[in-house]
Amino acid sequence: DGGITQSPKYLFRKEGQNVTLSCEQNLNHDAMYWYRQDPGQGLRLIYYSQIVNDFQKGDIAEGYSVSREKKESFPLTVTSAQKNPTAFYLCASNPGPWRETQYFGPGTRLLVL
Amino acid sequence: QQQVKQSPQSLIVQKGGISIINCAYENTAFDYFPWYQQFPGKGPALLIAIRPDVSEKKEGRFTISFNKSAKQFSLHIMDSQPGDSATYFCAARRDTGNQFYFGTGTSLTVIP
């Protein structure tokens, strides 16, 4: 059963804490993306990666970090520098440049305690 | 700066009616225009998409109309059903870099 999995479904963060959101895909896609979704603002790009060991900042990268050590995995860390982390986080993948369709995972909702 | 502008923010349609959502863009480097459907608490799912060399694409009850000169595209949902109630996002992909830009979303409610 191919697809994108995100875990956990809900995540709680305390003040000053770093938390990591997991994204795994078994679609053999080269490109992976992290988006943040807030009410009324659509999807905003945090980071994206076209190939393993390479990634680029999106429009709202401040306070976030990523790694891409394996093709299947693209974890996102929300650091304590991100002052307003409460949002719905979506991971997506795409077969690669010149391939159009983007597939989304089920999302992780991050809440601040 | 919003690269893709979407309207309306919310839409209420009677069952059997036509739902129309509009998007506009400025960047002529965009080469692919998808529409996504999202239900509460779920990730978006690709609904239908179009390339700029085509003016219209139809899949079942869903149609994209594309006006390249006006840099506008729209989603038409014919015979709207309560099960179509969801948030719809338009998007555009830049021809280099494989980056996608999304509209702010339209919350569609189809009332019986």
Side-chain angles (χ1 to χ4, degrees), chain A residues 6-15 17-21 34-38 46 63-64 76-80 82-90 107-113:
Chain A
Q6 290 186 242
S7 62
K9 187 172 182 179
Y10 295 95
L11 185 58
F12 298 91
R13 193 190 91 163
K14 295 179 181 178
E15 290 283 341
Q17 186 182 40
N18 292 354
V19 292
T20 297
L21 285 62
W34 274 106
Y35 294 92
R36 170 177 171 144
Q37 185 174 21
D38 296 280
I46 305 173
Y64 301 97
L76 173 74
T77 296
V78 184
T79 74
S80 57
Q82 174 49 248
K83 296 306 178 188
N84 184 23
T86 297
F88 191 48
Y89 290 86
L90 288 160
T108 292
R109 187 163 297 281
L110 177 60
L111 299 165
V112 177
L113 293 176

Side-chain angles (χ1 to χ4, degrees), chain A residues 9 31 33 35 37 40-43 45 48 50 58-59 88 90 94 96-102 104-107, chain B residues 2 9 31-32 36 38 41-46 51 87 89 93-105:
Chain A
K9 187 172 182 179
Y33 307 77
Y35 294 92
Q37 185 174 21
Q41 296 197 49
L43 279 68
L45 182 64
Y48 65 107
Q50 301 291 358
D59 297 325
F88 191 48
L90 288 160
N94 165 269
W98 318 119
R99 304 291 295 279
E100 297 162 335
T101 305
Q102 195 173 50
F104 283 86
Chain B
Q2 195 72 32
Q9 186 175 0
D31 68 345
Y32 174 70
Y36 289 86
Q38 184 181 30
K42 306 292 185 184
L46 180 66
R51 293 188 66 92
T87 299
F89 292 96
R93 188 191 73 163
R94 202 168 62 191
D95 57 1
T96 57
N98 205 21
Q99 261 186 276
F100 292 78
Y101 298 87
F102 288 81
T104 51

Side-chain angles (χ1 to χ4, degrees), chain B residues 16-85:
Chain B
I18 303 173
S19 304
I20 301 174
I21 304 171
N22 301 299
C23 285
Y25 65 97
E26 287 297 326
N27 192 337
T28 56
F30 291 149
D31 68 345
Y32 174 70
F33 301 87
W35 283 90
Y36 289 86
Q37 179 188 57
Q38 184 181 30
F39 293 104
K42 306 292 185 184
L46 180 66
L47 190 62
I48 188 172
I50 198 167
R51 293 188 66 92
D53 53 349
V54 176
S55 61
E56 185 175 281
K57 183 173 181 180
K58 184 176 181 179
E59 289 183 1
R61 297 184 294 109
F62 301 93
T63 299
I64 300 178
S65 296
F66 190 86
N67 186 329
K68 189 174 181 178
S69 60
K71 299 179 190 170
Q72 295 174 348
F73 58 110
S74 59
L75 175 69
H76 296 236
I77 305 174
M78 313 300 286
D79 187 26
S80 299
Q81 299 296 313
D84 296 331
S85 297

